[in-house]
Amino acid sequence: MATTAVASPSTSTPSTPLLPRRRSLPPARCRLLPAPPRWRARLDIARRVAVGSDVSSYPDVAAEEAAAARKVGKRVRVTAPVRVHHVAKAPGLDLRGMEGVVKQYVGVWKGKRVTANLPFKVEFELKLDGQEKPVRFIAHLREQEFDIVGDE
């Protein structure tokens, strides 16, 4: 009986270096398939709504913008406990009792209603000890969080 020695695959040296296998691309006819009819219909509807929606024609948007425009430029006092953390020189500042000026209403943009949770931009001035110039900062507030004190 003759026996032959067979080398195990782990001890033999590979003839080609071990490289990751390249994935082949699918055939050209598979890459450019049109969307199924039900998806195409949904896309067409979404495009028509996005491009053709005219929310500005609603009278309540115009009335809302007119009512908010009367508050822009007014001096207001914060009545609710509101904390802001974006003022670097006064972190964790409580705005209750502070007075500021309403600078802008951001609930309507380009004639369309947007979902602004805090639609009024109010500018405040904070005088700090050791500084001659007051620190100016802006905070966004709801209408229920402030009372109008007077004109600027």
Side-chain angles (χ1 to χ4, degrees), residues 19-141:
L19 296 175
R21 293 180 74 185
R22 285 187 167 172
R23 289 186 169 181
S24 61
L25 295 174
R29 67 175 184 266
C30 295
R31 276 187 250 150
L32 301 174
L33 289 176
R38 66 172 190 244
W39 289 105
R40 209 175 310 137
R42 287 183 188 169
L43 287 174
D44 288 342
I45 291 171
R47 283 188 197 118
R48 277 187 255 133
V49 168
V51 172
S53 293
D54 185 23
V55 184
S56 63
S57 63
Y58 293 124
D60 59 335
V61 173
E64 177 185 343
E65 192 172 18
R70 284 179 276 184
K71 294 178 182 161
V72 173
K74 303 282 184 174
R75 189 146 194 83
V76 295
R77 180 178 291 124
V78 180
T79 57
V82 178
R83 283 184 105 66
V84 293
H85 299 275
H86 68 280
V87 183
K89 298 190 178 184
L93 178 66
D94 188 15
L95 296 181
R96 180 186 273 180
M98 290 185 69
E99 289 188 10
V101 178
V102 177
K103 289 294 182 183
Q104 186 180 8
Y105 177 73
V106 295
V108 176
W109 185 66
K110 291 187 177 180
K112 295 183 180 181
R113 180 179 283 128
V114 295
T115 58
N117 296 333
L118 307 168
F120 289 94
K121 286 174 74 172
V122 181
E123 183 181 46
F124 295 96
E125 286 186 359
L126 178 65
K127 296 187 185 215
L128 296 174
D129 295 334
Q131 268 193 309
E132 56 194 47
K133 291 175 83 176
V135 176
R136 286 186 173 186
F137 64 94
I138 291 179
H140 289 257
L141 300 174

Side-chain angles (χ1 to χ4, degrees), residues 134-148:
V135 176
R136 286 186 173 186
F137 64 94
I138 291 179
H140 289 257
L141 300 174
R142 291 184 189 95
E143 189 174 1
Q144 299 84 15
E145 294 175 335
F146 62 83
D147 289 333
I148 296 177

